[in-house]
Amino acid sequence: MSRSSDPLRPGDHIDSPEAPARQPGDPKLGPRGWARFLWRQLTSMRTAIVLLLLLAIAAVPGSLVPQRSSDPNGVIQVRAENPELVWLYDALSLHDVYSSPWFSAIYILLFTSLVGCVIPRLAHHWKAMRALPPRTPARLSRLVGFQVVPGGASDLDRADRVLRRLGYRTTRYGDSVSAERGYLRETGNLLFHISMLALLLVVGLGSGFGYSGQRLLVEGSGFANTLTSYDSFTAGQWFDDDGLEPFAVELDGLDVVYETENPNAVGAPLDFTARVSATEDGVQREGQIKVNEPLRVAGADLYLISNGYAPRISVRDASGEVVYDQYTPFLAQDDNMTSLGVIKLPDGLEEQLGLRGFFYPTAVPLETGALASAYPDLANPVLSLQAFTGDLGLDAGIPRSVYALDTDTMTQIAGGDSGTESLTLAAGQTIDIPGGLGTITFEDVRRYGVIEVHVDHTQTPVLWIVIVLFVSLLGSLLIPRRRMWVKATPAGLELAGLARGDDPTLERAVDDLAKRVREGWPGEAPDEPGDGHERRIEP
């Protein structure tokens, strides 16, 4: 073998400048070798940590971008405000992050990596726990805490009993006792990783049986727990429609408390409370839903995820017949609840009519003549509408958002560049629609709340898994892995210890062992025999 400048590598190492060049006939790494290499890379602890970090990073867009499963109105609003980014949202599935292919790929790779990492360690740990403690080193004086106490071979039984009472597994090797403890450290480490696997498995599979649905409710309205009642509904891949528990919910009122005393935060929301009536198995009960305080009904959790205002707008034709009269939800645009809404009337008037406008809970005029809301509560509600006539596009067979109005092929008859001012109405006021089409009346306004019904079968298992994960992590960090030896010599009993990893208390543990070997276990008779469980291996 040739010499190398690196004393840790032979001269013919592949990185050595003296290594022979690769010849055409040298063996190559075949498909099986590459598969083994890639598997080892995937199942390494380093790869698992990287994948865990990637999973955390991949979850960030799910908290920054509105998700269809939790905030469908937010999705509509974001896409309307950023039409140039819609292609990016769709290409990267940013509105469905947790079910996207790239997030699922990281999830599956992390699960596979943990499985491949844990199973070999389980087998190794099982063998290590069944193996005997190692033989006593020839020179204990080189180890931590070495000391010599009076005694001889006859005192080894006492040392054996003391070690076992201290939690060590012991074995006699001739004139010495070898002891080992701390396997629970590795057990805790493995249990931590198994808990991670169980968490991934429960979340991945358990979520497939759950569902989440959202329904916008105006005060005084309700819905039943059926698929057709939801505005949006997301279910796991193993969800069965027959699994919907029968119940009904009615929104009796929505109370919002705003800050009024702090001049720097006037109008800031302090509390939201939805007062509801829930009917289950024919029995009605009253309850409330607050932020982070869901209501439990028939195994489902009901959350209040957003709120807003729904002005009641009635439209009459030229003859005075009512063609539209209902509460229309408007989406809040700022902290003062300036809200944007759309009304579409395809029938009942001489022409199809589209109304788009803003609702101001506390309207105040600006210097420019425009309106703004100065406070989020209903102090001076005003409605300002732009009107368009023409084809609403509802007969084209293409789904249209109820919160968006496509005016490309329509004619504006009020507001904007139409030459006619916007239709501005206070509560209870009626105004004529330009062109003699009829009248619009702002009847009154109510609050609405978006109720999310969420069924998650993983909550209880995840709770217990997290508890086990936390306890096992503490065990893997706090339990020391130690080895102790007591050896009979002509000079007395030699004691020493060795730690696997950092153990600042090892020397103190050896001192404690020496004291107990000299004095015996408290309360133990001097001539108390051993219990016969020690294993003796003669030299």
Side-chain angles (χ1 to χ4, degrees):
M1 180 180 298
S2 60
R3 300 178 62 84
S4 172
S5 59
D6 188 347
L8 300 180
R9 292 181 175 179
D12 58 355
H13 190 273
I14 188 171
D15 292 337
S16 172
E18 302 177 12
R22 183 179 181 87
Q23 302 298 321
D26 290 346
K28 297 181 179 180
L29 191 63
R32 186 174 180 180
W34 276 108
R36 185 183 295 111
F37 170 76
L38 294 176
W39 174 253
R40 288 178 178 175
Q41 295 300 312
L42 177 62
T43 57
S44 67
M45 185 57 62
R46 177 179 58 187
T47 301
I49 294 174
V50 170
L51 288 172
L52 188 60
L53 180 62
L54 282 177
L55 190 69
I57 295 175
V60 171
S63 61
L64 299 179
V65 181
Q67 301 295 292
R68 287 191 175 91
S69 60
S70 59
D71 189 9
N73 291 334
V75 173
I76 295 172
Q77 183 174 344
V78 166
R79 294 172 73 90
E81 294 176 349
N82 304 279
E84 71 281 0
L85 296 178
V86 169
W87 69 271
L88 181 63
Y89 294 144
D90 294 337
L92 299 181
S93 302
L94 293 181
H95 293 306
D96 303 281
V97 167
Y98 305 111
S99 58
S100 63
W102 52 271
F103 189 88
S104 301
I106 298 174
Y107 195 93
I108 294 173
L109 285 174
L110 176 59
F111 186 84
T112 304
S113 178
L114 287 174
V115 169
C117 178
V118 168
I119 291 179
R121 289 179 60 187
L122 278 174
H124 177 77
H125 184 55
W126 175 253
K127 293 179 181 178
M129 291 186 64
R130 294 174 59 86
L132 298 176
R135 289 184 174 273
T136 307
R139 296 178 179 83
L140 293 181
S141 59
R142 298 181 177 180
L143 303 182
V144 177
F146 172 76
Q147 55 187 285
V148 181
V149 300
S154 61
D155 298 308
L156 290 178
D157 286 340
R158 181 194 300 171
D160 192 301
R161 291 196 302 272
V162 169
L163 285 166
R164 281 187 281 107
R165 289 189 176 185
L166 289 173
Y168 290 85
R169 296 187 305 124
T170 64
T171 300
R172 291 283 293 274
Y173 290 102
D175 59 352
S176 67
V177 178
S178 180
E180 190 171 24
R181 65 172 289 185
Y183 277 99
L184 285 178
R185 182 187 185 95
E186 179 65 11
T187 301
N189 192 294
L190 288 172
L191 190 58
F192 172 80
H193 287 86
I194 292 173
S195 299
M196 288 287 295
L197 280 172
L199 188 63
L200 291 173
L201 190 64
V202 167
V203 172
L205 296 181
S207 59
F209 295 95
Y211 67 87
S212 177
Q214 293 80 34
R215 174 61 187 264
L216 187 149
L217 293 179
V218 179
E219 291 175 318
S221 64
F223 78 102
N225 189 32
T226 60
L227 286 178
T228 56
S229 296
Y230 288 103
D231 298 323
S232 64
F233 189 86
T234 303
Q237 55 183 334
W238 299 293
F239 170 77
D240 186 1
D241 296 354
D242 297 332
L244 289 174
E245 294 291 337
F247 66 84
V249 176
E250 182 175 349
L251 179 62
D252 299 325
L254 181 60
D255 303 323
V256 183
V257 179
Y258 296 103
E259 176 62 58
T260 58
E261 298 180 358
N262 185 351
N264 296 322
V266 171
L270 300 179
D271 188 46
F272 299 91
T273 303
R275 294 177 283 106
V276 300
S277 298
T279 303
E280 179 183 359
D281 296 330
V283 179
Q284 186 180 71
R285 62 184 176 94
E286 295 183 351
Q288 65 178 23
I289 309 173
K290 300 174 71 70
V291 177
N292 297 325
E293 294 183 19
L295 177 67
R296 188 81 171 177
V297 179
D301 291 318
L302 275 60
Y303 295 87
L304 177 64
I305 61 174
S306 65
N307 71 100
Y309 290 106
R312 179 189 167 196
I313 301 169
S314 63
V315 179
R316 291 172 171 81
D317 61 14
S319 63
E321 183 178 352
V322 176
V323 296
Y324 181 90
D325 185 2
Q326 65 185 53
Y327 290 95
T328 304
F330 278 47
L331 301 180
Q333 305 296 302
D334 57 27
D335 294 337
N336 286 325
M337 299 298 289
T338 301
S339 305
L340 174 66
V342 168
I343 301 172
K344 301 177 184 180
L345 289 84
D347 304 304
L349 300 177
E350 295 181 0
E351 296 183 76
Q352 292 189 4
L353 179 67
L355 300 172
R356 180 177 63 194
F358 286 94
F359 172 73
Y360 306 96
T362 302
V364 294
L366 300 177
E367 294 181 358
T368 60
L371 295 176
S373 180
Y375 189 71
D377 209 353
L378 295 172
N380 180 32
V382 171
L383 189 64
S384 176
L385 300 172
Q386 295 179 342
F388 300 84
T389 57
D391 185 9
L392 292 170
L394 301 181
D395 300 326
I398 302 175
R400 303 285 185 179
S401 171
V402 296
Y403 299 103
L405 180 65
D406 185 2
T407 61
D408 291 343
T409 59
M410 303 185 73
T411 302
Q412 188 168 9
I413 60 174
D417 299 328
S418 65
T420 303
E421 293 185 355
S422 298
L423 307 179
T424 303
L425 303 93
Q429 185 177 357
T430 300
I431 195 170
D432 292 331
I433 303 174
L437 295 178
T439 61
I440 298 176
T441 302
F442 178 13
E443 304 286 355
D444 62 0
V445 60
R446 291 182 180 179
R447 288 186 180 271
Y448 71 79
V450 177
I451 306 297
E452 178 177 86
V453 179
H454 187 69
V455 173
D456 185 2
H457 302 290
T458 68
Q459 291 181 347
T460 300
V462 166
L463 173 63
W464 287 107
I465 289 173
V466 170
I467 292 175
V468 172
L469 190 147
F470 181 73
V471 173
S472 60
L473 178 61
L474 288 179
S476 66
L477 294 176
L478 300 179
I479 297 176
R481 178 81 178 272
R482 295 171 178 165
R483 289 172 179 173
M484 293 282 194
W485 291 278
V486 180
K487 183 178 181 181
T489 66
L493 294 178
E494 294 183 352
L495 294 84
L498 181 67
R500 183 173 181 178
D502 186 27
D503 187 359
T505 63
L506 177 59
E507 190 166 355
R508 186 166 65 246
V510 177
D511 292 339
D512 181 65
L513 173 63
K515 179 181 178 182
R516 295 182 186 277
V517 169
R518 287 195 305 266
E519 302 175 0
W521 195 271
E524 179 185 45
D527 57 349
E528 181 182 346
D531 57 13
H533 291 293
E534 67 271 11
R535 290 177 287 186
R536 300 174 181 269
I537 299 179
E538 298 300 330

